[in-house]
């Protein structure tokens, strides 16, 4: 499914989800020419002065390693999933974070937020950051190293709370600097302001063409209402277009849950907000793949800022993505798990580090490592919360007041993805009856009919749906 309004992009709908596809490949010689020009290296200089190699591919980007006499860089060539806005937002965010915090993020050397260049795609040329993803180091790191890393991430998040045009965040929900203007919007102090939101929810497939609000949003209510309207539009269209009974039943299920969430929305979020809601930068995909570390487990870079936006402060009361998981208070006893041969173990050679970056199961079944990760996440969440309390005295209040709102967002996200529809519906029905149950617990075990309305919410500090 090609999209004439977004050159070079097609959407593959043959699987469970829409997947972006490149209709043509970026020309590596054109990439090298652009790099040479912006690095000040003559076009006729020897190949050793500037060499470009394909590195890896993400969902919406192809990454190229640039080895040059000026240093090492990364060229990110971007699909036009949200023309101009995605590149503009990422650049504005990176530049602000570098100015306002001590987070190690890439320096942007140059960028083009149009496809009107010799590469034929939008691109960003940035500093290559040192280190390897913590994902590949995690099993070799000591618990003390992991605790230090988590404390540092908490410090980063506390800095992001203070990073904005108000000195303490922003007003409004949206991606920094994104919008119809040619240049990123800034306030008088040169700080980019929240603009249109750059999110796969808004730009995937036909969503890009829906007539729905795109921000900046004044309030959580307006943002979440637009999110739900996208879900309703998508599945109303699917229902009208299909003659398959299973597809109809699925679409009807999503629509039923989405409409229930829409009715619940104004009961949790005020429809009228004045002044505009306070927001904060929130890296919504802070996984171990996006935390780069050195051999000692120290953070050397935080990467992948392409869809980061200014989000309501309650959104940032969650744990970062890499700390979310099941609760496990007791450390798993290694001796009780099955021994397996390392041959055919879950080595991951997809990262360019190859065998050096593979996951070593050390002769133990994968279940042991899953349970160990759950145990460590449980302990490290306590470290994160304790550090956030030191840095933000109001942190416990943020978490408590944000808990139900975070669960609502989790319910909307799962509804949009079509996951756990029956249990999400159970959760919505319970909240309507003022039974404030944790979404994750409902997703895990459901709600037994004999439960009464006397239940109150059980919530682990900072836990996220």
């Amino acid at each position: 499914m090609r999209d004439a309004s977004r050159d070079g992009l097609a959407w593959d709908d043959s699987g469970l989800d829409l997947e972006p596809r490149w209709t043509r490949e970026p020309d590596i010689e054109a990439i090298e020419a652009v790099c040479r020009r912006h690095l000040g290296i003559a076009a006729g200089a020897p190949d050793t002065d500037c060499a470009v190699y394909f590195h890896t591919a993400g969902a919406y980007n192809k990454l190229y390693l640039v080895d040059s006499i000026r240093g090492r860089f990364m060229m990110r060539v971007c699909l036009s999933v949200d023309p101009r806005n995605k590149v503009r937002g990422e650049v504005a965010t990176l530049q602000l974070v570098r100015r306002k915090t001590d987070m190690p993020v890439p320096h942007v050397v140059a960028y083009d937020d149009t496809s009107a260049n010799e590469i034929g795609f939008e691109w960003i040329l940035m500093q290559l950051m040192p280190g390897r993803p913590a994902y590949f180091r995690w099993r070799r790191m000591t618990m003390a190293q992991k605790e230090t890393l988590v404390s540092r991430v908490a410090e980063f998040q506390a800095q992001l709370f203070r990073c904005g045009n108000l000195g303490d965040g922003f007003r409004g929900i949206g991606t920094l600097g994104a919008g119809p203007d040619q240049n990123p919007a800034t306030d008088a102090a040169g700080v980019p302001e929240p603009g249109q939101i750059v999110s796969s929810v808004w730009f995937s497939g036909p969503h890009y063409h829906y007539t729905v609000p795109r921000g900046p949003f004044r309030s959580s209510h307006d943002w979440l209402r637009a999110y739900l309207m996208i879900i309703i539009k998508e599945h109303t269209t699917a229902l009208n277009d299909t003659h398959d009974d299973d597809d109809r039943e699925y679409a009807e299920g999503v629509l039923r849950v989405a409409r229930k969430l829409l009715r619940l929305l104004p009961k949790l979020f005020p429809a009228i907000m004045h002044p505009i809601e306070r927001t904060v930068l929130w890296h919504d995909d802070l996984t171990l793949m996006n935390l780069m570390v050195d051999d000692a487990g120290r953070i050397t870079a935080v990467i992948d800022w392409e869809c980061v936006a200014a989000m309501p402060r309650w959104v940032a009361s969650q744990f970062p993505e890499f700390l979310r998981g099941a609760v496990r208070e007791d450390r798993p006893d290694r001796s009780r798990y099955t021994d397996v041969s390392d041959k055919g173990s879950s080595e991951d050679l997809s990262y360019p580090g190859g065998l050096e970056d593979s996951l070593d199961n050390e002769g133990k079944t994968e279940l042991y490592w899953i349970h160990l990760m759950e145990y460590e996440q449980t302990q490290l969440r306590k470290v994160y919360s304790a550090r956030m309390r030191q840095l933000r005295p109001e942190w416990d209040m943020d978490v408590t007041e944000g808990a139900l709102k975070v669960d609502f967002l989790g319910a909307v996200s799962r509804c949009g993805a079509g996951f756990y529809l029956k249990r999400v519906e159970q959760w919505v029905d319970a909240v309507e009856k003022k039974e404030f149950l944790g979404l994750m617990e409902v997703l895990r075990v459901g709600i037994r009919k004999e439960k009464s309305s006397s239940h109150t919410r059980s919530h682990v500090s900072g836990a996220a749906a």
Side-chain angles (χ1 to χ4, degrees):
M1 179 176 65
R2 286 178 180 259
D3 190 329
S5 67
R6 293 181 282 180
D7 187 35
L9 170 66
W11 294 94
D12 181 356
D13 60 358
S14 61
L16 293 176
D17 298 308
L18 279 176
E19 296 287 343
R21 294 287 182 264
W22 300 71
T23 61
R24 63 178 188 275
E25 288 295 314
D27 181 71
I28 199 162
E29 292 183 359
I31 294 171
E32 182 177 320
V34 168
C35 291
R36 283 175 176 262
R37 183 166 66 251
H38 287 281
L39 293 175
I41 301 172
D47 290 345
T48 53
D49 285 3
C50 184
V52 176
Y53 311 93
F54 175 75
H55 182 64
T56 189
Y60 310 117
N61 310 282
K62 290 182 184 290
L63 302 179
Y64 297 83
L65 182 63
V66 182
D67 275 326
S68 78
I69 56 173
R70 306 285 186 236
R72 304 187 79 201
F73 303 88
M74 187 68 73
M75 169 65 87
R76 182 197 290 265
V77 179
C78 309
L79 273 174
S80 294
V81 288
D82 192 345
R84 294 200 169 187
N85 289 328
K86 189 170 80 67
V87 163
R88 188 181 301 160
E90 181 174 3
V91 169
T93 301
L94 283 171
Q95 290 175 339
L96 180 67
V97 172
R98 279 182 62 86
R99 288 205 318 269
K100 296 287 189 177
T101 77
D102 66 3
M103 295 179 72
V105 299
H107 165 62
V108 175
V109 176
Y111 71 97
D112 191 338
D113 60 5
T114 77
S115 298
N117 55 65
E118 54 263 67
I119 299 175
F121 292 97
E122 301 171 31
W123 55 264
I124 306 174
L125 178 61
M126 63 182 72
Q127 170 190 12
L128 178 67
M129 300 300 284
R132 287 193 170 89
Y135 175 84
F136 297 110
R137 301 289 195 196
W138 199 251
R139 292 181 183 176
R140 302 182 181 98
M141 288 170 60
T142 67
M143 195 60 176
Q145 289 174 326
K146 294 172 184 177
E147 290 173 356
T148 299
L149 179 146
V150 167
S151 292
R152 189 73 175 121
V153 170
E155 292 166 7
F156 292 157
Q157 185 55 52
Q159 291 180 43
L160 291 180
F161 267 96
R162 301 189 297 272
C163 179
N165 52 14
L166 301 175
D168 186 20
F170 302 87
R171 292 281 188 189
I173 300 165
T175 299
L176 300 187
D181 298 334
Q182 291 294 322
N183 296 310
T186 60
D187 68 4
V191 176
E193 299 176 341
Q196 292 183 6
I197 195 159
V198 177
S199 163
S200 60
V201 173
W202 269 260
F203 64 60
S204 288
H207 294 189
Y208 180 73
H209 301 286
Y210 288 175
T211 305
V212 295
R214 297 179 179 273
F217 297 100
R218 289 183 59 89
S219 65
S220 295
H221 174 278
D222 293 353
W223 165 52
L224 291 168
R225 179 178 173 80
Y227 193 156
L228 285 165
M229 294 310 297
I230 289 171
I231 296 171
I232 290 171
K233 170 67 174 174
E234 176 185 355
H235 291 279
T236 299
T237 302
L239 191 61
N240 293 335
D241 290 348
T242 187
H243 299 288
D244 182 88
D245 289 343
D246 289 340
D247 289 345
R248 287 187 63 84
E249 182 179 359
Y250 171 68
E252 288 169 350
V254 173
L255 285 169
R256 184 177 62 254
V257 176
R259 286 166 179 153
K260 285 189 174 186
L261 285 162
L262 193 59
R263 288 194 294 271
L264 180 60
L265 175 66
K267 299 177 183 179
L268 303 183
F269 302 91
I272 299 175
M273 177 70 71
H274 183 77
I276 299 172
E277 188 167 357
R278 299 289 290 266
T279 57
V280 61
L281 274 181
W282 172 246
H283 195 311
D284 64 342
D285 191 29
L286 197 57
T287 66
L288 293 178
M289 286 298 294
N290 290 331
L291 285 171
M292 308 293 281
V293 297
D294 62 17
D295 291 342
R298 293 182 293 259
I299 297 175
T300 59
V302 182
I303 62 172
D304 199 3
W305 293 78
E306 63 178 346
C307 289
V308 169
M311 286 280 108
R313 292 166 70 156
W314 58 263
V315 173
S317 70
Q318 303 176 78
F319 289 119
E321 182 68 31
F322 76 99
L323 289 180
R324 302 177 200 173
V327 175
R328 184 174 294 274
E329 292 289 356
D330 296 325
R331 185 182 183 90
D333 183 347
R334 184 186 178 101
S335 66
R336 293 180 177 271
Y337 290 81
T338 304
D339 293 330
V340 296
S341 169
D342 281 335
K343 292 181 179 179
S345 65
S346 61
E347 291 182 338
D348 187 336
L349 307 184
S350 60
Y351 192 74
L355 281 170
E356 182 181 355
D357 281 329
S358 64
L359 298 181
D360 182 5
N361 279 347
E362 299 178 6
K364 281 296 176 184
T365 177
E366 185 70 16
L367 184 62
Y368 167 72
W369 295 105
I370 293 171
H371 288 174
L372 180 62
M373 186 66 164
E374 291 174 351
Y375 166 76
E376 291 182 342
Q377 286 173 324
T378 301
Q379 306 312 309
L380 292 171
R381 285 194 287 268
K382 300 172 186 177
V383 173
Y384 183 86
S385 296
R387 186 64 179 132
M388 286 302 292
R389 286 188 203 102
Q390 293 175 340
L391 298 166
R392 287 183 59 80
E394 64 271 45
W395 178 249
D396 283 338
M397 184 179 295
D398 289 345
V399 170
T400 300
E401 293 182 352
L404 184 58
K405 296 176 180 179
V406 167
D407 276 357
F408 184 91
L409 175 59
V412 172
S413 174
R414 285 168 176 80
C415 175
F419 295 152
Y420 300 100
L421 284 177
K422 289 183 178 179
R423 291 188 175 177
V424 169
E425 186 172 12
Q426 285 183 333
W427 179 83
V428 175
D429 292 343
V431 175
E432 286 280 14
K433 293 184 290 187
K434 297 182 172 56
E435 298 176 8
F436 301 121
L437 308 171
L439 176 65
M440 293 307 292
E441 182 67 12
V442 174
L443 296 181
R444 190 174 68 85
V445 300
I447 299 176
R448 296 192 302 273
K449 291 182 179 179
E450 64 269 21
K451 286 189 174 182
S452 70
S453 61
S454 62
H455 286 283
T456 57
R457 180 182 189 81
S458 174
H459 186 78
V460 178
S461 175

